[in-house]
Amino acid sequence: MDYPPDWEQRSAWEDGLEVIDSLLMPGSATAAAMSDRQRNGLNRLKSMLLSGGGSESMFNHIPLALLAEENASNDVLLSVFAGYSRPEDPGRSFKQIIAAHKVAKKLRVMASNRRLRHLTSSFGTFLPAQWMQLDHAAQLKLRDLLAWENLSRWDFDMFEVDKVVKGKHTLVLVAWAILASPQAQYAMDLACQEIPNHRNGPAPTSLADRKGYRFIDQFGIEAESLLEFLQAIENRYVDTPYHNKVHAADVTQSLHSILQMGGEKYASEKPLELFAVLLASVIHDVGHPGTNNLYHVNAKSDIAIRYNDLSVLENMHIATAFEIIMGTNREEKADILASFTEEQKNSIRSLVIKAVLATDMTKHFSKKNLIKGLLLNKVAAEDPTSLAKDDLSRHEILSFMLHLADISNPAKIIQTGSQWTDRVLEEFFLQGDKESGLGLPISPLCDRKTTSRPQSQIGFITFIVLPAYEVLGQLVPRVSTEVVPIITDNLKYWKEQKRLETEAENDDTDGT
């Protein structure tokens, strides 16, 4: 398959901004020929485009190549990442698939809350009960995996953590290691010194000399409340193939890694904003039933009705999390915001809502273009961190980072990324099976008989992941040098897999 040149991967919105910039370029013939009124008018138009980047017609943000070539792969990307469908054609099966169907479907009952126990050690630090339940070998291994330096790596292996803890409490332990850093790492080091045959090792680095967010100290968060909250959230994650507690842990760690690469410079009000966006990563998919927004809207499910078909799952995730710590059914022991002022609580809630809503995939193109628009500002182009001075810009950037952490699977080494690919496709296929059983047309990528594994990744990387991470690389330079090359290598890998798949299909055809 031939892929479009770079200009075709731009949207009409991006192209329009570049044309305006070319006309206004100092010293150009066009700029010289304009009157002051014309120059001021174009500058005003540019400002309106930049400030309204997230609210412009979704159509204007879509890469032209996706609109130009009509095929099933492009239609999937348009539907999932722009919420856009082509004008209706009775002969097109894709349009039939996304046509509305009234099917009553209630969400499965969430797992009941389990009360959490924790241990306060003789050193005056704490360890979660989930860590204490591991055998000594697992404790030593987990201590190394969750060390600050390892936890901050882009090639961190979440599957290894899940293996060590035998699939239990992966989210609790990873989120605890991040949100309670550096106390969490210090506590593990001290406890491991008490393990037989490890008592004569070097003394752990002092708590004062360790790297970490130090949210516990700065906000007076109770260790028990943090662990109660994390356990309550983990309990509400459903055991689906992909959108489960392991995915939540992976997104939290990926966001943490982006922040440590330099992303935290965009949190001027840190540590409050850092805490808020990391909290958003922990809860961003809580209660996900394994079926997407389109399914719920078409099926007119309970949550689609409740949230008026708008970012259905994202709104549900946010409400599920905040119902634990706010409202009439608040769980006092799990209230991690109890020590915050009302102003701080409001700020945290506002940013968490914004960040989780930004994970709605249909908003992808407009969100990416909004960030590109911010970077077109001359001052921002020279020093992107200057954007941190503006509240709106800063929060858009932090939300964008969470969104990219959420779609980071193709940005990880292929040994890891391919495992995530298999998991998400299996979840899609289960949705397709459910649709088939209900008499519904099967949604894009959800037919296990026809979906091409490599093709699903080629389109995803080409139009979604790679362009977005290139934008992130302008904000966080290490992303350009450390992450983007992995994405381009993965794209080559999937193209080769597609070639092999096509050859195998042709051989089968020749054989018949």
Side-chain angles (χ1 to χ4, degrees), residues 266-283:
Y266 295 93
S268 293
E269 299 299 322
K270 59 182 183 182
L272 190 74
E273 291 176 341
L274 291 176
F275 177 76
V277 74
L278 285 166
L279 179 62
S281 69
V282 173
I283 65 104

Side-chain angles (χ1 to χ4, degrees), residues 3 120 137 143 248 258 431 438:
Y3 286 88
T120 302
R143 183 269 310 268
I258 291 171
Q431 175 174 323
L438 293 170

Side-chain angles (χ1 to χ4, degrees), residues 427-443:
E427 185 169 299
F428 289 165
F429 295 156
L430 289 174
Q431 175 174 323
D433 294 343
K434 181 181 292 188
E435 290 168 329
S436 178
L438 293 170
L440 294 174
I442 300 176
S443 297

